[in-house]
Amino acid sequence: MPIPIKNKIILFLVFLIGSSVEILGQTKTINSGWQYSEDKVEWQSVNIPHTWNLEDAFDDQPGYRRGLGYYKKQVFIASEDNEKIHYLKFNAVNQEATVYVNGKNVGNHKGGYTAFSFNITSFLNYDAYNLIEVVVDNSHNENIPPLDADFTFYGGIYRDVELITLPKQHFSVTDFASDGFYVNYKHVSEEKAGIEVTAILENLATAKTQVQLKLELLDSEGNNLKSRTESLKLHSGTSNEFKIKLPEIFNPKLWSPEIPYLYRLKLTLLDEQENVLDYKWTNVGFRWVSVDSEKGFFLNGKPIKLIGVNRHQDYKGYGNAVPLELQKKDIELIKNMGANVIRFAHYPHSRELYEMCDKLGILVWTEIPIVNKVTDSKAFFETSISMQKEHIKQYYNFPSVVMFGYMNEIFLRLAFDGKSSEEEKNQLKKITLDLAQQLENLTRDMAPNHLTVMACHLNEVYNETGIADLPMILGWNLYFGWYDAEIEGLGTFLDNQQRRFPKRSMLLSEYGPGADVRIYTQTPKKFDFSIDYQLKLHQSYVQQIKKRPFMTGMTAWNFSDFGSEFRGDAIPHVNQKGLVQYDRTPKDIFYWYKSVLDDAEPFLHIAATNLSGLTLIGENTYPVKIYGNQSNATVYLNDKKLKDFAFADGIADMEMPFVNGTNCIMVVSENREEVECIEVVKASSLNFEGFDRFGINMGAHFFFTDEAQQITFVPDQEYVNGEYGYVDGKAYGMTKDKNQGMPHNIRNTTSEPLFQTMLEGCSSYKVDLSNGNYRVKLFFVEPQIKPSENIYNLSKSREETQKQQRVFDVYLNDELIEKGFNMAQTYPEKYGITLTSTLEINNNQGLTVSLNPVEGTPVISGVLIEKIN
């Protein structure tokens, strides 16, 4: 199917015997001017793509709207088209859609990530406006996957809607909304290659018809290499399947990530007078793939280590209703990073992105969203099977697609099920294995020349049930050093699996920690959401996979941060494991991958952007990371040469003797020069000379750049004379394996990393300020909250929070600013609370924050001090 241009009619022209002939059909998108309502009373004008969860999936209220949405639009159909066949095609609606034309039900579709189409010819009125209505439902439905997952199920019509008008003879539009033809590669090698085309042709006329099907294989320059024309007889009122082989070509140019050479296949359907009835085209990339359980992945007979990313489709400010041009930039960024593989998780993405993978040279794993658990029902099985058929048929012709998947972490809910009996659990294992076997068989049968794949989480149940032995490649989603054990546990686990199952091919399908660019530290710790820990883990994982030839490769979780409404990470409602932010601004880790994967052109990056606002009291230097694919370079600070250095594993750490104010770092290599300027507060003491504000992130070991307060809060420390720190108390909620503090959304603030960490049991906190007048802000939150279940925090320990009354008095020096401070009573929600006061400091007494307990244990999250004269 030719790619539609939004809101424009596409008239396809082909050239036959030197003359242009207009095709008799047309496809047009009908995205503009829809009406949308939640109750069929109040209506608003919207354009497609559209979702109704754009705001409520990110607000402070738990949950988001899952229910019915109503769409309608008037479409004019001219009488000139009354002899043609008309289809409505929806490229994706989440998650169930019922379509009406002029008040009559024309069909229902279940599943939110694949296309579907309906023949609406018999429902139309000509020379008149026709009412199209769509009832969309994203309610939880036990018979429609996904049932449960770590991403937001946005409701709405979020991909293009097309009105397709064709002659009565045409390529099928209703064969699972596919292109109506399938390209199979025959005998591909370096010496020769051939293709066989299976075409599904419709004849909706009342009489049998003679047609011609012309196939043309063109090279990248448009030169005709091979062609064949077949005269075919189409029986009336039927769908007809034909298989046609093109003559082989010799010494084909093979498709690969390094050289993604594409041929082009044109398919033209003509009537007996050689009028063009219908027209199709597709990319052709000659390639073959295989896997070896000891030697890994092979493309065109040569070993290749797959290193790339997973991708979710949503985008900051758009939800899943993302303009296509923004989505395309994702694929360009992924290629620019140096990735050679992408896993479209956990569902089929827009077809245009697969075409970009064809052109740019990115191998693709694509899958359907059977995630976490299945339902023991005939309806669930039927929907799952139908979904995989749609998936394979709609994405079959992309040469970049080498892997078709069908399940992800399917026993995750089972592993944390403390309510079901053993008999019920065993029954669920049995039916899950049954469905997996059916999907595996279906995929192998429908998608020859492709690999089957599924992904599992860290649990022995996949081996015990035998489900792990079904696919050609088994993906492991592993989070050692984040949810589980230590970073080095990855290699130990993989080696153990290889010894136990030596004939099994494996791929590291997910890995990575959450990271917030506002958080950085010299002492990265597990689960602290720092960009520094993200680098530490990713570096180690890449090294561990490269050392193991049996591993086919790895796909980082995730390319970008993405919406997950229930999460309470450093940015609530967002899973922050991305290599780029939710708005696609790269994190530092993106540049590290580029430095080790992309050698197409010289590259340097100074990882200092997020350090702007850095505050250093009494520190001589601060380390800045420099990324590059060069061998050597020279670094300068404020026009003074610091040193020559060499990169190791694409990175170098430079101790920077910053000055107070603007600092410009310059790195020069033989082929590249890079400059980054940042603002730094540098002082020998808290004398407020050259700066007027100072913030402390109490209970935290990391810097936090607070956009709301326009300041970077410094890490906490035990009291140091002449500086600041706690006299007593300890960091709340910190353990060896968790250094976030309180993993919950804090209402009434966007500064979660400030409030989520806190000191508990601190009765005295000292800041050695010079004499003067100051405004002091103290930050608090009540940490006693019943944790919402987060099954994606896969650690085996489950800490229960004990509720307690917490009442204390707050003093600044000897001045009482809050008596009987009881956050739980005053602020029943988990609220970010600020107490502000002014005071005069004299006699060099400095500032002492005193928290005197009345009942329970005091807590405090931070302090911001501003000198006002």
Side-chain angles (χ1 to χ4, degrees):
M1 176 66 64
I3 297 176
I5 302 172
K6 289 188 176 180
N7 305 317
K8 292 184 180 179
I9 295 175
I10 301 174
L11 295 179
F12 297 113
L13 302 179
V14 297
F15 294 90
L16 299 172
I17 321 176
S19 62
S20 64
V21 181
E22 186 176 311
I23 192 171
L24 300 182
Q26 65 181 27
T27 295
K28 62 180 179 182
T29 57
I30 51 172
N31 288 345
S32 297
W34 288 77
Q35 296 292 301
Y36 167 74
S37 176
E38 294 183 358
D39 55 12
K40 301 182 78 172
V41 176
E42 298 289 334
W43 294 87
Q44 59 176 305
S45 295
V46 300
N47 291 331
I48 306 302
H50 175 262
T51 176
W52 61 72
N53 296 122
L54 191 57
E55 296 181 359
D56 66 343
F58 300 95
D59 61 20
D60 278 340
Q61 298 295 329
Y64 59 102
R65 183 174 177 271
R66 300 193 66 182
L68 295 175
Y70 303 92
Y71 294 83
K72 63 182 181 180
K73 177 180 175 61
Q74 299 274 358
V75 176
F76 186 84
I77 307 293
S79 59
E80 290 83 354
D81 291 328
N82 64 353
E83 291 298 319
K84 294 181 180 178
I85 307 301
H86 305 271
Y87 297 93
L88 270 180
K89 182 178 179 182
F90 295 83
N91 283 281
V93 179
N94 200 32
Q95 68 179 356
E96 182 174 5
T98 304
V99 181
Y100 300 83
V101 173
N102 294 325
K104 296 179 181 179
N105 187 325
V106 299
N108 172 271
H109 181 263
K110 296 177 175 63
Y113 304 96
T114 46
F116 57 95
S117 57
F118 299 119
N119 185 336
I120 62 170
T121 308
S122 63
F123 300 91
L124 294 176
N125 299 317
Y126 294 94
D127 269 348
Y129 280 95
N130 294 263
L131 177 63
I132 300 172
E133 297 173 285
V134 188
V135 179
V136 182
D137 190 353
N138 74 328
S139 302
H140 178 78
N141 187 323
E142 286 292 321
N143 293 317
I144 304 177
L147 302 177
D148 173 86
D150 183 16
F151 56 92
T152 301
F153 302 159
Y154 304 92
I157 304 175
Y158 70 94
R159 291 185 193 156
D160 288 349
V161 184
E162 300 172 34
L163 179 62
I164 303 171
T165 301
L166 294 168
K168 291 180 180 178
Q169 296 80 33
H170 53 266
F171 290 95
S172 176
V173 179
T174 55
D175 182 39
F176 292 91
S178 69
D179 289 329
F181 70 94
Y182 308 97
V183 178
N184 282 301
Y185 296 87
K186 299 293 184 181
H187 314 298
V188 179
S189 69
E190 293 183 356
E191 290 76 33
K192 63 180 181 178
I195 58 175
E196 179 183 74
V197 176
T198 300
I200 313 295
L201 302 179
E202 303 279 357
N203 178 20
L204 300 184
T206 56
K208 63 183 179 181
T209 306
Q210 197 77 21
V211 297
Q212 294 182 63
L213 178 58
K214 183 177 182 180
L215 305 183
E216 299 171 271
L217 183 66
L218 312 177
D219 65 15
S220 63
E221 303 297 321
N223 300 310
N224 193 319
L225 301 178
K226 299 291 180 181
S227 63
R228 183 173 178 179
T229 301
E230 289 282 330
S231 181
L232 305 171
K233 182 182 293 184
L234 306 182
H235 296 284
S236 63
T238 61
S239 179
N240 304 262
E241 180 177 306
F242 301 95
K243 292 183 183 295
I244 303 174
K245 290 183 180 179
L246 274 178
E248 291 178 333
I249 64 170
F250 296 94
N251 302 314
K253 296 181 179 179
L254 300 180
W255 184 94
S256 69
E258 295 77 22
I259 305 176
Y261 189 91
L262 291 175
Y263 297 84
R264 185 179 180 91
L265 179 67
K266 293 172 59 178
L267 303 90
T268 309
L269 186 65
L270 305 103
D271 64 17
E272 290 184 288
Q273 290 74 41
E274 296 194 347
N275 294 310
V276 178
L277 297 167
D278 202 357
Y279 168 81
K280 300 281 185 176
W281 69 269
T282 190
N283 292 325
V284 169
F286 290 114
R287 52 94 183 127
W288 73 97
V289 295
S290 62
V291 287
D292 184 283
S293 61
E294 295 181 354
K295 299 178 181 178
F297 191 93
F298 286 78
L299 174 66
N300 302 330
K302 299 176 182 178
I304 175 176
K305 186 72 78 174
L306 302 178
I307 302 179
V309 296
N310 290 261
R311 177 191 184 264
H312 267 298
Q313 67 185 357
D314 59 325
Y315 199 110
K316 184 176 182 180
Y318 295 95
N320 64 345
V322 186
L324 185 57
E325 292 307 314
L326 282 181
Q327 297 190 56
K328 288 181 176 181
K329 288 183 178 179
D330 279 5
I331 309 304
E332 292 174 352
L333 267 175
I334 291 167
K335 182 65 177 182
N336 181 263
M337 187 187 84
N340 58 19
V341 65
I342 183 171
R343 178 188 178 202
F344 284 116
H346 290 300
Y347 41 78
H349 293 217
S350 295
R351 281 168 46 94
E352 292 85 351
L353 305 188
Y354 294 69
E355 185 190 350
M356 289 198 67
C357 291
D358 290 349
K359 293 178 178 179
L360 295 178
I362 305 175
L363 295 159
V364 170
W365 163 351
T366 182
E367 65 189 13
I368 55 173
I370 305 178
V371 183
N372 292 4
K373 63 178 182 177
V374 305
T375 300
D376 186 4
S377 72
K378 180 181 179 181
F380 185 91
F381 272 54
E382 289 177 346
T383 302
S384 298
I385 295 295
S386 178
M387 191 177 288
Q388 185 68 334
K389 288 180 179 178
E390 289 176 332
H391 175 217
I392 293 172
K393 284 178 174 284
Q394 291 171 24
Y395 295 82
Y396 189 83
N397 289 333
F398 296 104
S400 57
V401 174
V402 296
M403 290 175 271
F404 278 111
Y406 51 84
M407 281 183 176
N408 179 75
E409 298 184 351
I410 201 60
F411 289 128
L412 186 64
R413 275 292 180 184
L414 178 73
F416 292 93
D417 184 355
K419 299 179 180 179
S420 300
S421 66
E422 285 303 310
E423 182 178 352
E424 290 171 326
K425 291 181 180 180
N426 288 333
Q427 175 63 16
L428 184 59
K429 292 177 185 178
K430 181 180 177 181
I431 68 108
T432 302
L433 181 61
D434 181 18
L435 178 59
Q437 185 69 72
Q438 290 188 43
L439 290 167
E440 177 71 22
N441 294 343
L442 172 73
T443 306
R444 290 194 185 213
D445 180 60
M446 291 184 63
N449 303 320
H450 294 80
L451 301 170
T452 61
V453 63
M454 74 162 64
C456 309
H457 80 286
L458 182 64
N459 196 288
E460 186 62 21
V461 66
Y462 298 97
N463 293 323
E464 292 172 349
T465 59
I467 201 171
D469 293 318
L470 296 181
M472 298 175 184
I473 299 179
L474 182 70
W476 282 109
N477 300 343
L478 301 175
Y479 291 91
F480 290 99
W482 188 247
Y483 297 127
D484 301 290
E486 300 303 321
I487 293 174
E488 295 73 22
L490 171 69
T492 303
F493 173 83
L494 294 175
D495 291 341
N496 180 54
Q497 293 295 307
Q498 171 68 2
R499 283 192 297 268
R500 292 173 59 194
F501 308 99
K503 295 183 179 180
R504 183 186 293 170
S505 292
M506 295 185 291
L507 188 148
L508 180 60
S509 42
E510 291 183 23
Y511 65 96
D516 187 330
V517 298
R518 302 174 298 172
I519 296 174
Y520 56 92
T521 177
Q522 295 188 64
T523 56
K525 298 180 181 181
K526 184 178 179 181
F527 223 92
D528 65 4
F529 286 87
S530 70
I531 56 177
D532 307 275
Y533 189 79
Q534 186 180 38
L535 173 65
K536 178 180 178 180
L537 187 145
H538 278 269
Q539 278 187 296
S540 177
Y541 268 52
V542 171
Q543 292 167 1
Q544 291 182 70
I545 294 300
K546 284 184 174 180
K547 288 179 181 178
R548 290 167 170 81
F550 62 85
M551 289 299 295
T552 60
M554 58 200 305
T555 49
W557 190 261
N558 194 325
F559 164 64
S560 65
D561 295 348
F562 60 92
S564 185
E565 194 275 341
F566 71 90
R567 276 187 172 267
D569 291 354
I571 299 177
H573 318 301
V574 176
N575 187 315
Q576 291 180 260
K577 296 185 181 70
L579 308 185
V580 302
Q581 299 174 57
Y582 202 8
D583 65 359
R584 275 43 176 187
T585 302
K587 301 180 186 180
D588 288 346
I589 190 63
F590 174 91
Y591 296 110
W592 176 74
Y593 272 103
K594 182 172 175 60
S595 71
V596 296
L597 297 180
D598 181 21
D599 58 3
E601 58 183 26
F603 168 73
L604 290 172
H605 176 74
I606 302 166
T609 303
N610 298 317
L611 301 182
S612 196
L614 172 69
T615 298
L616 299 174
I617 304 296
E619 298 284 347
N620 291 324
T621 64
Y622 192 86
V624 171
K625 292 178 172 57
I626 301 170
Y627 302 114
N629 59 7
Q630 310 289 284
S631 298
N632 303 283
T634 304
V635 61
Y636 301 80
L637 178 64
N638 300 324
D639 296 325
K640 295 181 180 178
K641 180 179 177 179
L642 293 184
K643 64 184 297 186
D644 299 316
F645 66 93
F647 288 101
D649 192 29
I651 192 172
D653 277 304
M654 293 291 113
E655 290 291 336
M656 293 291 175
F658 288 126
V659 298
N660 190 54
T662 301
N663 290 260
C664 290
I665 306 166
M666 181 171 67
V667 179
V668 180
S669 69
E670 181 180 352
N671 300 303
R672 187 89 178 181
E673 178 180 303
E674 196 77 14
V675 177
E676 182 72 36
C677 295
I678 63 171
E679 296 297 318
V680 176
V681 173
K682 177 76 177 292
S684 57
S685 66
L686 290 171
N687 55 18
F688 283 82
E689 294 180 6
F691 66 101
D692 55 11
R693 301 167 78 226
F694 180 66
I696 306 167
N697 192 9
M698 293 178 174
H701 65 282
F702 53 76
F703 290 89
F704 167 59
T705 300
D706 189 339
E707 297 164 354
Q709 303 289 338
Q710 288 292 292
I711 193 171
T712 297
F713 288 83
V714 303
D716 205 358
Q717 62 182 28
E718 191 173 0
Y719 175 68
V720 174
N721 186 37
E723 294 184 13
Y724 65 92
Y726 53 86
V727 176
D728 54 4
K730 64 179 181 178
Y732 175 85
M734 299 296 189
T735 66
K736 175 177 176 290
D737 293 323
K738 185 170 76 69
N739 290 276
Q740 184 185 15
M742 189 177 69
H744 301 291
N745 175 28
I746 310 300
R747 298 182 65 128
N748 196 43
T749 184
T750 58
S751 306
E752 268 77 9
L754 174 63
F755 289 98
Q756 287 171 337
T757 55
M758 64 193 76
L759 281 172
E760 184 177 36
C762 175
S763 63
S764 180
Y765 197 100
K766 299 184 69 176
V767 185
D768 289 342
L769 301 176
S770 57
N771 293 339
N773 293 309
Y774 296 88
R775 180 180 295 107
V776 179
K777 290 183 180 180
L778 303 178
F779 302 93
F780 301 89
V781 68
E782 171 54 63
Q784 299 300 340
I785 181 174
K786 182 179 179 181
S788 58
E789 183 184 18
N790 180 359
I791 62 170
Y792 300 95
N793 188 341
L794 301 177
S795 60
K796 295 180 180 179
S797 63
R798 313 287 280 187
E799 296 182 5
E800 295 294 332
T801 303
Q802 300 297 320
K803 289 186 177 181
Q804 66 179 34
Q805 186 79 355
R806 192 190 310 276
V807 183
F808 54 96
D809 299 331
V810 182
Y811 288 83
L812 294 180
N813 290 345
D814 296 326
E815 181 180 342
L816 177 67
I817 64 168
E818 192 78 12
K819 183 173 179 59
F821 190 37
N822 185 336
M823 292 180 285
Q825 181 176 348
T826 309
Y827 303 92
E829 304 283 358
K830 288 296 143 290
Y831 224 67
I833 304 164
T834 302
L835 300 181
T836 303
S837 185
T838 58
L839 78 162
E840 181 182 3
I841 293 177
N842 47 47
N843 299 323
N844 298 315
Q845 63 179 329
L847 170 66
T848 299
V849 180
S850 300
L851 307 176
N852 298 342
V854 176
E855 184 176 347
T857 309
V859 291
I860 185 169
S861 290
V863 60
L864 175 58
I865 302 163
E866 180 179 5
K867 192 167 187 179
I868 52 180
N869 63 37

